[in-house]
Amino acid sequence: IVEEGVVLTQKDIDAGKVIVQLDSSGIEEKLERQKIDLASARASYENAVASLEIQRQQNASDIRKAELDVRFALLDLARYVGSDLVEPLVAAHRRESMVAVEETPAVGEPDGGGVPESGGPSSGLRRLILTLLESADLEGEALQRVRELGSNISLADEEFTRAKGELDWSLKLEAKGFVSREEKEADRIALERRKIELERARTAEKQFAIYDFPKEVESLLSDLVEAEDQLSRTQKRARSAEAKNLADVQSRREQHTLQQARYTKLESQLAACVIKAEKPGLVVYASSGRRRRWDRGERIQEGASVRERQPIIKIPDLEQLG
């Protein structure tokens, strides 16, 4: 602290003469710790911002993949039954899924026991699938398979008819002694073979209509619906994850703002530890003069402790004193 009785001149004011220097060691320690806390808060905020951007990119990637799965599943179903039959199939599946959910007993309610009766939620979809083979809109691999099976039956039937004709002719020639018994037996075996092939072709067509076709349609339809549901779940998870990251960014931003405010306050407190002359005049300690008996404050001097807002120096105007 400047000595009491020193006269401050305008030159001192212009030079920024220090008249009081408060002990700032405690504030400097706090400022160093706060600098670390501020750097940590800034790093946490920047990491949160980076995590949000990464999450958004990951969300976009996940959604694109889920949309691609839906597109591929749609193409697979359309390739099998034709594009015109996809929408009716999906609509029927959705309706029956809603019915199944509505008919599911609530927690604690009896489920009635046993197996659901025929005509339940899936019967309508099965009936629709079974009628597709007769639909004029049927296209794709299924139609190609239907034509292939029909062609196999036609070919097997022609072969069977030819074999039957050859056997009839052999029987007639055998009666006249023109064909041996072995030749007739060979024609009979050939007829049996053609009969088996015809039955096999008809069985394959029936098996395709009753089992293979419905199974493949339901499998492809299930893949499509599952892909659509997965897309919906992916979009919801993406929104939830982004909202969580946004909240984290907001929290980190507020923490950084708080730490910055504390750092700024400490800087201002550190700056306030240095008191410079602001006007010319005589330096008078605030504790000088007659003191009241109940005033137990410590005298102003170097090394003394002062409290907040306590006057330290008075600088009366010399001209007014004169």
Side-chain angles (χ1 to χ4, degrees), residues 9-80:
T9 64
Q10 185 59 44
K11 185 177 179 181
D12 294 329
I13 307 304
D14 297 338
K17 181 179 178 62
V18 177
I19 58 176
V20 176
Q21 172 71 56
L22 299 178
D23 181 14
S24 60
S25 58
I27 296 178
E28 290 173 352
E29 291 179 3
K30 290 181 180 179
L31 189 61
E32 287 300 317
R33 291 196 297 268
Q34 186 59 34
K35 186 182 297 184
I36 296 174
D37 293 341
L38 177 59
S40 177
R42 183 183 296 112
S44 296
Y45 171 62
E46 292 173 352
N47 287 338
V49 172
S51 295
L52 174 61
E53 182 60 26
I54 293 173
Q55 185 64 57
R56 284 173 172 169
Q57 294 176 359
Q58 183 64 49
N59 290 345
S61 176
D62 292 343
I63 291 175
R64 282 196 302 270
K65 182 180 182 303
E67 289 174 341
L68 196 61
D69 291 341
V70 171
R71 182 168 174 267
F72 287 166
L74 179 63
L75 290 175
D76 288 342
L77 181 58
R79 182 179 62 184
Y80 190 69

Side-chain angles (χ1 to χ4, degrees), residues 80-82 85 132-140 142-143 146 213:
Y80 190 69
V81 298
L85 296 179
L132 295 183
L133 290 176
E134 306 298 329
S135 173
D137 295 327
L138 182 66
E139 297 177 354
L143 180 59
V146 168
F213 177 74

